[in-house]
Amino acid sequence: MSLTNKILLGMLLGIVVGVVFNLILGVDEANKVPATQLGQWLQTVVINGLLDAIGQVFVASLKLLVVPLVFVSLVCGAASLGGHSRMGALATKTMALYLLTTALAIALAMGVAVIVQPGGDVDMALASNYAAPEAPSIKETFVSIFPSNPIQAMAEGNMLQVIVFSILFGVAIARTGGTIGSNMSTFFENLNEVVLKMVMLLMQLAPYGVFCLLVKLFASLGFGAILDLAKYFFTVLFVLLLHGLGVYGLLLKTLSGLGPLIFLRKMWKVMVFGFSTASSNATLPVTMRTVEHDLGVDNKVASFSVPLGATINMDGTAIMQGVATVFIAQAYNIDIGLMGYLMVILTATLASVGTAGVPGVGLVTLAMVLQSVGLPVEGIALIIGVDRFLDMVRTAVNITGDAVVSVIVAKSEGMLDETRFNDMTLNAETDPV
């Protein structure tokens, strides 16, 4: 059985076993104590003990590679492009496309939410006090992009700072030239091969890690929470699928002329992986390998666009914010008007870049969006119950967007191997590095 099929099987078994465990526990909420002694043992020893430990080790093993992969790959790409006149154009196109897809995502979300009206029948007695995280100022956000200590940035996993330092280091190698520049470039290219081999080794853990993560999630996630917010839940889910499959496919076809179906057939395994981990950063090694190997994107483009997208591209989060804003406005019976909706689109799009390095970024940016149009931040408490599952789908959408932008930019710069893109026999999981 191929690794992709093993991962898919692990995901399906994880969902089934998790639902069975949830029924045995006899509770619909994660924090309630199970009624039976068997349920208590199952939750303490099996779910929160063994399965949670394996799942955390799996995610940690993936995150282990994120900083070295981004640093080494980006240094290689920047060193190759350091003296290239198109480097500025490549970066500009990438940033512009990420902002465009985020604006489209939130506009689509708000349009659908206005039609569906998910918050029309919500009982505001459900709302509780919610302490919004403090959002950084624009100045603080801008200054924090530039590292004062690159080693500290790597240790803390501050990806924007790592990206900036990697680009500067790569450009410096290119400008050094001569024997020194050539030797350094060769060293990092060889190191990049080693890191990619580590990615493939750790991918063998994927089916087991995915199984454990999903068992724990579905064992604790009660269906009652979803049923209480079914209209909101399925509105967000519908827009996520529409954007991930429809909007991205349309952009890919329009801006590059490439086939969306071929793209999706090659990316679906990465989407499943992103869904399972619920983390763009944890999925980044797999995304990078697939974008370069299966989709034919030159490393010079992929090494810049994919890590940047994993850091700032939040189309899935923007969709949640758009639907949530309309949902909360309807629940509180507040009309924010057309200008309010436009302000939400602008704020959420800029926030997707501005708060990229802040923990809990989804809730931070949602709080910022609500405050920008005068909606009560306490309304966030209404949607937290179903946000964990939606976060998994959002991650799958986000990494799909990273790959789409990478392909479009690579095609426009003449750095896409179309023969490789159209070759359905390639498999990044099994082919040698």
Side-chain angles (χ1 to χ4, degrees), residues 36 75 124 161-163 198 210 259 262 266 301 306 340 376 379 385 390:
T36 64
V75 167
M124 284 316 302
Q161 292 188 359
V162 173
I163 288 171
M198 285 185 66
V210 165
I262 295 176
K266 291 194 171 190
V301 177
V306 176
L390 291 174

Side-chain angles (χ1 to χ4, degrees), residues 238-251:
F238 170 75
V239 180
L240 285 170
L241 294 176
L242 180 62
H243 188 74
L245 300 177
V247 174
Y248 284 150
L250 187 62
L251 282 175

